[in-house]
Amino acid sequence: MIYSNQAFELIQPKVKKVPFILSIPHCGVSFPTELKNDFVPHLINAPDDTDWFLEHLYDFAQEMGITVIKAVYSRWVIDLNRSPENQSLYKDGRMITSLCPTTTFFGEKLYKIEALQPNKEEVERRLEKYYWPYHDKIDELLESRKADFGKVLFWDAHSIRRNVDTIQKEDFPDLILGNDDLKTSNSTFIEEAIKTLGSDSFDLKHNKPFKGGFITRSKGNPQANIHALQLEMCKDLYMSNNETIYDPKKAKRIKNLLKSTFENLISHLND
């Protein structure tokens, strides 16, 4: 069953619920009617900074008892994985788009004219209408599952182009597991994720170059039995080489690995 809110879609599991919440905050491609005409038209027809097709890659989750929350609107409207105070999570000179971006990751201007860029009042409006409902629903789900099971695991799913030279000059590794330098989850879940994700020949890195965004850092609280992990992956693992079309045949390998990872993580939720 899919529950739609203006800011998110909630996909309920098809089998008995487990204490596992999957978030896909950058898969949204819609733009609110009141904002659509402010953006450069050819950019929003296919918003480039989208985590394309992750909802298809992870579509096995509801068959495992996992609850899925995913964004409706593009991160260009408001980025659900940024600090509400718009504070940067990295201090190494990389290109970081803001809470309400005005450019793409490649520096292209998103708005037709500068006067249409969101001012402080407009940012606050978008926070209230599109940002906080997503975060509040995650908090509600985490507390509900923790109340029912005693602990809960949260997985924030992301994907990225193989190369974004405004972030780093080198190609990204296949998979990057983030937990803010071991702060957002206990070692059991971190070690299991590394072990299973590393069981294939994918190039797996841990907390480098991504440590987890604001969602992972703000939701993870292992002392309270809420464990959060972020996985960033290169889009060419499941899409065409030019990263535009979902490729089910190519995706099968990484999809099987993700499913095994979730199965092994869920087994520890029963410990």
Side-chain angles (χ1 to χ4, degrees):
M1 184 178 76
I2 299 177
Y3 167 78
S4 292
N5 173 282
Q6 193 168 33
F8 61 83
E9 283 189 0
L10 192 67
I11 305 172
Q12 297 287 1
K14 292 183 177 180
V15 297
K16 186 178 178 181
K17 290 178 183 176
V18 296
F20 194 137
I21 307 300
L22 168 64
S23 159
I24 314 177
H26 289 158
C27 67
V29 294
S30 296
F31 289 81
T33 304
E34 76 273 14
L35 297 177
K36 201 168 187 178
N37 291 332
D38 295 350
F39 289 87
V40 176
H42 79 270
L43 291 178
I44 67 170
N45 286 339
D48 187 60
D49 296 334
T50 301
D51 291 2
W52 291 105
F53 306 116
L54 279 187
E55 66 271 29
H56 298 300
L57 186 67
Y58 282 94
D59 64 7
F60 59 85
Q62 62 190 121
E63 305 284 354
M64 301 177 71
I66 296 168
T67 304
V68 182
I69 182 170
K70 66 188 188 77
V72 170
Y73 291 114
S74 168
R75 68 192 296 177
W76 289 348
V77 175
I78 193 163
D79 194 328
L80 302 171
N81 202 30
R82 295 289 183 266
S83 157
E85 297 82 24
N86 202 27
Q87 296 172 343
S88 178
L89 299 176
Y90 297 96
K91 308 293 184 184
D92 55 7
R94 71 181 68 181
M95 170 77 169
I96 297 290
T97 55
S98 64
L99 177 66
C100 292
T102 56
T103 69
T104 71
F105 271 107
F106 296 104
E108 298 170 280
K109 292 182 179 180
L110 292 174
Y111 290 85
K112 291 176 180 176
I113 57 173
E114 191 170 334
L116 294 173
Q117 294 177 3
N119 57 22
K120 183 178 179 181
E121 290 74 21
E122 173 60 15
V123 171
E124 286 299 321
R125 186 189 74 84
R126 295 188 198 183
L127 279 166
E128 290 301 317
K129 194 165 186 179
Y130 308 118
Y131 182 96
W132 288 120
Y134 192 89
H135 281 262
D136 290 346
K137 177 52 78 170
I138 290 174
D139 292 340
E140 178 188 316
L141 291 168
L142 292 174
E143 288 301 327
S144 174
R145 297 298 181 274
K146 191 182 109 169
D148 290 342
F149 295 92
K151 68 179 79 168
V152 61
L153 180 65
F154 177 79
W155 185 278
D156 209 40
H158 294 267
S159 65
I160 196 166
R161 286 181 177 272
R162 178 64 68 174
N163 185 278
V164 182
D165 62 10
T166 53
I167 297 178
Q168 68 173 36
K169 299 303 180 185
E170 305 82 13
D171 284 354
F172 291 116
D174 296 323
L175 305 171
I176 307 155
L177 184 71
N179 42 66
D180 195 21
D181 293 329
L182 312 181
K183 296 185 187 75
T184 65
S185 173
N186 72 14
S187 59
T188 299
F189 295 110
I190 294 171
E191 290 168 6
E192 186 58 64
I194 291 172
K195 178 183 174 183
T196 313
L197 291 170
S199 65
D200 205 314
S201 57
F202 292 114
D203 181 15
L204 170 65
K205 293 292 186 286
H206 185 207
N207 285 317
K208 188 176 180 181
F210 301 112
K211 297 182 180 184
F214 180 76
I215 295 177
T216 303
R217 300 186 197 200
S218 65
K219 304 309 178 191
N221 184 0
Q223 291 75 27
N225 282 321
I226 300 174
H227 307 277
L229 300 171
Q230 174 183 293
L231 185 68
E232 188 83 65
M233 70 173 69
C234 284
K235 294 178 182 178
D236 58 10
L237 298 181
Y238 65 95
M239 295 174 68
S240 56
N241 287 338
N242 63 358
E243 301 176 346
T244 58
I245 300 169
Y246 185 73
D247 185 338
K249 190 173 181 180
K250 182 189 282 190
K252 186 176 180 181
R253 178 182 165 202
I254 184 63
K255 196 169 193 173
N256 287 339
L257 184 64
L258 290 169
K259 188 174 182 181
S260 295
T261 302
F262 283 12
E263 287 171 346
N264 291 340
L265 289 170
I266 288 169
S267 72
H268 289 291
L269 286 166
N270 298 323
D271 291 347

